[in-house]
Amino acid sequence: MDLSLDRPGEYLYVRRVGARSVTVVDREFTRSLVLSPEKAIENWPVTHAGQLDAGHVASILALDPEVVVLGTGERQVFPAAAFLAGFLRKGVGVEVMDNAAAARTYDLLAGERRRVVAAFILPEA
């Protein structure tokens, strides 16, 4: 039996998550980012879930997701209800989890060719 390693090459995927970084394909990010299968938006200006507001909703919705995965760092921290409601009003699902779980969920959904966007909050250095 022949075995082969299937590596995703058609979309951006998360290879590794650390306490202060997220590696997308072969590039390590040390500042918060927003990730879709087609692009990574660097230096997202959020360092903790308490900062999230309606302006952040609009920037994520601009990527036209059907579901948003929010990674809030090493621990799951729920943002304000108003932030979450911004997605729900537009019919976009949103899930909040720690960064490691968010990466696994994002990779699975992106691999299924779903319109997923992940936002990873990384602490300031």
Side-chain angles (χ1 to χ4, degrees), residues 2-25:
D2 290 329
L3 297 177
S4 63
L5 177 62
D6 183 26
R7 290 186 180 216
E10 300 174 11
Y11 61 91
L12 296 175
Y13 60 93
V14 178
R15 179 182 301 271
R16 180 180 177 283
V17 174
R20 296 185 167 274
S21 67
V22 173
T23 302
V24 176
V25 185

Side-chain angles (χ1 to χ4, degrees), residues 3 15 21 24-25 31 33 38-39 46 51-52 59 72 74-75 86 91-93 95 99 117 123 125:
L3 297 177
R15 179 182 301 271
S21 67
V24 176
V25 185
R31 298 194 58 171
L33 72 142
E38 298 83 28
K39 68 194 268 183
V46 178
Q51 292 176 304
L52 294 169
S59 65
T72 58
E74 288 191 281
R75 297 188 188 281
V92 174
E95 296 292 334
N99 280 349
V117 170

Side-chain angles (χ1 to χ4, degrees), residues 44-67:
W44 190 44
V46 178
T47 57
H48 58 82
Q51 292 176 304
L52 294 169
D53 61 24
H56 298 108
V57 172
S59 65
I60 294 170
L61 287 176
L63 296 171
D64 192 33
E66 64 180 322
V67 64

Side-chain angles (χ1 to χ4, degrees), residues 46-115:
V46 178
T47 57
H48 58 82
Q51 292 176 304
L52 294 169
D53 61 24
H56 298 108
V57 172
S59 65
I60 294 170
L61 287 176
L63 296 171
D64 192 33
E66 64 180 322
V67 64
V68 173
V69 179
L70 175 63
T72 58
E74 288 191 281
R75 297 188 188 281
Q76 180 185 41
V77 178
F78 284 93
F83 172 79
L84 299 173
F87 294 105
L88 300 177
R89 277 194 290 277
K90 296 292 186 177
V92 174
V94 59
E95 296 292 334
V96 179
M97 51 194 77
D98 64 62
N99 280 349
R104 291 189 301 270
T105 303
Y106 166 83
D107 281 348
L108 177 72
L109 294 173
E112 293 175 348
R113 307 222 189 304
R114 302 273 303 272
R115 289 189 343 261

